[in-house]
Amino acid sequence: EEEEEEEEVAVELYSSKSGSLKATMDGVESEDPEDGDVLEATLSRVEEDSIDAAVKEKFPAVFNEKCFAFYEIGESTVSDAKMKLLLKTQLAVGTKKQRKDKNENEPLDACGLQIHGALDAFYSYDGPLGCTFMDEIIVVTLWAPSAIQVDFLLFDSPDFSHPKEELEMMFDSSNGTWIIHGRRKELYQMYYNFRVTVFHPKENKVMTSIASDPYARSLAADGRRAHIFDVENDASAKPEGWETFAKPSLNHICEGGIYELHVRDFSALDDSVPEDARGKYKAFSCEEGRGVRHLKKLSQHGLSHVHLLPTYDFGSVPERAENQKSLSSADISGMEALESDSEFQQTLTSKIASEDAFNWGYDPVHYGVPEGSYSTNPDGPTRILEYREMVKSLSEKMNLRLIVDVVYNHTLSSGPTDVNSVLDKIVPGYYHRRNFLGDYEASTCCNNTASEHYMFDRLIVDDLIHWAKDYKVDGFRFDLMGHIMLKTMLKAKAKLEALTLEKDGVDGSKLYLYGEGWDYAEVVQNRVGANASQMNLANTGIGSFNDRVREGAVGGTPFGDPREQGFATGLLDRANAAQGNDDLSRRYRTMEDGEKIIAAFAGNLREYVFTNRHGVETQLRNAAYENSNVAYAGEPKETVNYVSAHDNETLFDCIALRASSEHTTLRDRIRMNRVCTSIVALSQGVPFFHAGDELLRSKSLDRDSYDSGDWFNRLDFSGETHNFGVGMPPRSKNEGRYDLIRPFLANVEENKPSQEDILAQTDYFCELMSIRSSSKLFSLETFKDVQNRVSFFNRGENQIPGLLVYVIDDGFEKLKICDNFERIVVCVNATSTDIENYAEKAFQRHVRNASTAKILEPHPAQGAICEDAETLRRVKISGGTSDVVDLSLTIPALSTIVFVQKR
């Protein structure tokens, strides 16, 4: 015991300029004999209670673990100036057991140091980055505070030539930037890279890498070099009228709807588009193309936005056409002749998948430059011009605003050697989120980024401003938004909203931000800081995808059994073999799923009060079951309602797998498709549709078509072809389900819709959008309006399962917001039989309580665009005036009927 009292543990900081530190039996030492003396600085222990609150807020993961001791470097030990120099070296911390009586030091442990917090503390920077253009001078600035040396490599062409010049850049120790400047006439339209020498923690040594510019605004093909180009001012990259064209009018984002589309899907296989424009930005300017005519038709009926999957520079497609592989015409002819469940199609497409022209593009390399494979020339400013032409054409020719997909949660690559690594070559280990072992987190798929770090937070905000101002995009969809810090999203929103037409050419008040608010992995429950997850977004004005309505309407989750049915796919009375024989259980689940749809109808507002299936008044946060958090939004615009998206199977394919009982026909499944689509189209909040929802689109049951090529992703706006049964989908993502899906694909005669079916579905979609746009009652803007105007009937334990009755009122003259209707009633019958004589007393009293004695009648658009006489013939209204007590409705099977009381 006396010996133990004489022992102390010392904690020391070590530094090596050459990156040669190693843990040995004698402690931390350098293996480089030229490294000189290894710095040793003893750290002082501090109590957690004495640590500044701002530090705890910045590093919550550390403080939440409760397994660390905390130490500090005193100013007297290492000055700030010395610390800045140390940040350019390899750093480690080691512990030693000191025995005072024997003057001995016994090494205990050692680890490397993560320096992102120190870089933020010393070098947070808000000045210019990338290329700054003056009348006669161009300045290039790179933030790389930990770099030992940075050289500027200048090229006069985009190809693989050697540098024309190699120039050493100057380091500014006050802000961590490296700077070079030159004459504009000598630099403009030239190409450049950086040669960065820096300690890299992934390799644990000092390395020299060739890196592009993360603030590049123009590029060579495949992003191999940055291009010096003034995207803001150079008129050669601006289509005629770019500065003055007007965006389509928009009062509120809840009006209209969003249509999610992939650039290649839009035109790659469309022979109505000139061959050189197929799969390109230019296809959006082809007025005679089927895609342009189709989008124009949808917008005429109320669609307001197109959302494009990633269009920034991504690394998963070769940008030069000569480097892209494709299927031959003989291959395609042979594939078309094969059996519908053949595996040969996927064998051919998979062989070229990594080198063809198709990928969803969730593989960011340069955030601030349009993708080059969608341009007719990936070198230099052509991609900028053609992107702007696309934006302008969407506005002027199709009356549509543009939302772009952004992927700030990860980068395609990291490390010092990969050609697609950019950020991590420049400030290694800083831009990416690392765990306590120093490894890069990969829960998003790969190379998770860290918006909790100042300069990546800044990069995100700068990039969004750039796309809004320089490309006039109208909104942003954030991939895995829950992995981004909430403060970053709020900062971006505030800066975007501050943009004005007069100053910036953009009305920031019309821009919309939304994304995937999933909360999981290392960011779960605010572990690294408050994140932009669903539960944190209420009353921020930022939207998130409402996966609850998808689960309720369609059934199941993307990670479960694809046969799990939901409210609108036959759970109640057309159960498939996977659902079991417990009728009572299915009845209960149908009512539970119905409450998820009710939540969507009410904007998924967490505090909205409704009557649940037990007859109890409660808030929607308790829909389906107590504390379910089914509803989480504070205002309607924060809810993006959807039942399908690019991820997972298409809506048609989802329904095919679920509505698979022997009693369910193709016609039934088409009607289920309509019911699901109507739920999205008529809910409060922001409606979101996957391209092809209106075409009964199929991907031959492919559950993840991100790299399945044009063959499986075909989108035919004419309806002449349909992609169900074009072969077994690629093995890489679907093999585990081959036994399940093969019988469906083999039976193509009974499962594949006709052109008549497809075109009728398009008409039905247009009809739904016309109904939505006929009244502001479908796009209420505030929680108060929804609570005061929206009601639900057929509730409680004695409800008719499978029937939803959703009422929106405008019956108070002083609060009138709709010139056409005093009341709207939406009835959804998801059962296989007509529901006759629905005559609930509470509903009767509510509908009779109108300011006029107008009768209830079908919405004038119902059946006016999509002829469905057989269904509408079965709709019946008995009574309906204020003098009639016995008002009753008959709602046909598998249908959504909208009734109105006209003014």
Side-chain angles (χ1 to χ4, degrees), residues 564-630:
E564 186 172 345
Q565 292 172 279
F567 183 89
T569 56
L571 173 62
L572 180 67
D573 55 10
R574 290 177 186 251
N576 61 44
Q579 304 308 310
N581 297 317
D582 188 343
D583 293 346
L584 186 61
S585 173
R586 292 201 309 275
R587 183 180 189 275
Y588 185 87
R589 285 168 52 200
T590 298
M591 292 192 289
E592 189 175 89
D593 284 344
E595 292 191 6
K596 296 176 183 178
I597 297 170
I598 284 172
F601 279 151
N604 218 43
L605 300 174
R606 61 183 183 181
E607 295 181 1
Y608 176 92
V609 176
F610 82 118
T611 301
N612 68 14
R613 64 189 178 282
H614 304 297
V616 177
E617 281 199 352
T618 187
Q619 293 181 334
L620 279 175
R621 69 173 85 213
N622 299 313
Y625 56 89
E626 191 74 16
N627 298 318
S628 64
N629 287 321
V630 161

Side-chain angles (χ1 to χ4, degrees), residues 45 62 70 118 124 142-143 215 318 394 451 666 739 786:
R45 178 153 185 175
V62 173
F70 299 95
S124 294
L142 177 72
W143 187 78
Y215 272 75
L394 280 165
S451 60
L666 174 61
D739 290 343
V786 175

Side-chain angles (χ1 to χ4, degrees), residues 291-306:
V292 169
R293 286 183 280 136
H294 185 79
L295 289 183
K296 187 174 183 179
K297 177 180 179 178
L298 300 188
S299 76
Q300 288 171 344
H301 291 281
L303 192 73
S304 58
H305 291 74
V306 162

Side-chain angles (χ1 to χ4, degrees), residues 554-557 561-565 569 576 654-660:
V554 178
T557 73
D561 189 332
R563 297 170 296 173
E564 186 172 345
Q565 292 172 279
T569 56
N576 61 44
C654 279
I655 293 173
L657 290 169
R658 288 161 172 79
S660 56

